[in-house]
Amino acid sequence: MLDKDEILKENIRIPNHLAIIMDGNGRWATQFNKSRSFGHYEGMKRVIDIVKASSDIGIKYLSLYAFSTENWKRPLEEVSYLMDLILVFLNKQIKHLHENNVKLNILGILNQLPPKQIKKIEEALKLTENNTGLILNIALNYGSKDEIFRAVKKMINDVWIGAIDKDSITEELFYNQLDTGNMPDVDLLIRPGGEKRLSNFMLVQNAYSEIIFTDVLWPDFSEKKLIQCLEEYTLRERRFGGL
Ligand code: FPP
């Protein structure tokens, strides 16, 4: 169990907003001659661990990339399994998340998911909507280019129907149209799995985030590894373009 006071004593800087690209499930499973699904299941277990750890140490926003707009291109069997995992995760965890004051939020287009998943997610959103602890963003059917496109389209439509004046479009108004609404930008982005790219994940919100790429595959990612990443983040000098 992570103790927030211990971490603060060690002067570890806690990011307000942590984002993770959970990569490497397939390769993790393959090394044991297991199916990719087995790797995704183990990856889901790490979601549970890292949500708990993040909440314990006082991270306010945690954004997890679970399924991208591009992931539909994977074989049907894998897509179906990932969709099933959403149900498994919520069935297993939603009560616990709620008891721990976690507020669930979805990034991406919910209404393109299968009906069972939509229903379960909507119930979970409703149940946790007034919670004031960790805000857990799960990116599902999410792509950052798509998110930006939807935000721009929404503003054009609002101008068109007279809901806003074109001169009232500000950077802030644009940000607020993104799926993260008025949440703060990401402070720290971690990508396990050895690849060094953003893969269309929160491109605007990561404008000034610190990025840590690690070779550890997501199913091997642990609380200990999270703390190591936070230690590395603590040493980073953040200048936001200034001196
Ligand atoms: C990328 O690894 C991972 C995914 C596309 C799925 C991530 C999903 C989970 C961690 C579990 C589900 C989570 C929830 C919240 C229900 P990969 O399969 O591309 O790995 P590889 O690069 O080794 O093939």
Side-chain angles (χ1 to χ4, degrees), residues 198-234:
L198 292 180
S199 297
N200 202 13
F201 187 48
M202 302 180 85
L203 301 179
V204 175
Q205 298 90 335
N206 276 302
Y208 272 103
S209 61
E210 296 299 323
I211 306 183
I212 295 179
F213 297 107
T214 163
D215 288 337
V216 172
L217 303 173
W218 174 248
D220 286 329
F221 199 85
S222 59
E223 285 183 358
K224 191 166 165 232
K225 186 66 202 168
L226 174 65
I227 300 302
Q228 282 169 3
C229 289
L230 297 185
E231 283 167 349
E232 186 176 336
Y233 169 69
T234 304

Side-chain angles (χ1 to χ4, degrees), residues 13-20 59 61-63 185-191 201 205-206 208-213 226 228-234 236 238:
R13 187 168 53 184
I14 307 291
N16 194 30
H17 190 163
L18 169 67
I20 307 181
I59 288 170
Y61 301 87
L62 174 64
S63 297
D185 280 354
V186 174
D187 296 298
L188 172 63
L189 172 69
I190 302 174
R191 179 168 190 152
F201 187 48
Q205 298 90 335
N206 276 302
Y208 272 103
S209 61
E210 296 299 323
I211 306 183
I212 295 179
F213 297 107
L226 174 65
Q228 282 169 3
C229 289
L230 297 185
E231 283 167 349
E232 186 176 336
Y233 169 69
T234 304
R236 299 274 180 96
R238 303 192 74 195

Side-chain angles (χ1 to χ4, degrees), residues 22-27 36 40 44 66 71 74 85 89 218:
M22 308 184 289
D23 194 19
N25 294 347
R27 276 165 289 157
R36 293 178 56 81
H40 291 314
M44 181 202 66
N71 286 151
R74 293 191 176 201
L85 261 193
F89 174 74
W218 174 248

